[in-house]
Amino acid sequence: MRQRIARFMLGRNGQDPLNIFILIAATAALVLGSFLRGFVGDILRLITLALIAVSWFRMLSKNLPRRRAENARYLRWRYQVSGFFRCQKTRWEQRRDYRFFTCPSCRSTLRVPRGRGKIRIVCRKCGSSFTRKS
Ligand SMILES: [Zn+2]
């Protein structure tokens, strides 16, 4: 039986991080949908079924280049999202010693020491400067 499954899965995509994310989303929709009655609950149950169908399709798919590209896109997105939260965590940990500003011309984040009064801040990335209270 194990060998038959292994032979069946040969050349197929199988499980990947994107599929795991889809199944977690399906579970979330299922749990949320079980609390809600009526139209919204029906929609959530429909979404659950659709997500499970997509996950099965991706798992059994033989179009590996396409599935790998989807997974890579998902991993890039996940890295960006986790990077944003990592950045917010660092800012929160350093909030007593530093103030954070956004450069008005290039939108990059600038960190300056707190309690220096009114200072001229020069962006290291684009060289533009502006005055703020630190
Ligand atoms: Zn700048």
Side-chain angles (χ1 to χ4, degrees), residues 20 48 73-74 80 109 115 132:
I20 292 166
T48 303
R73 237 182 356 248
Y74 161 70
Q80 283 173 352
T109 301
R132 291 282 189 289

Side-chain angles (χ1 to χ4, degrees), residues 103 105-106 108 123 125-126 128:
C103 172
S105 58
C106 73
S108 64
C123 175
K125 213 171 186 179
C126 69
S128 73

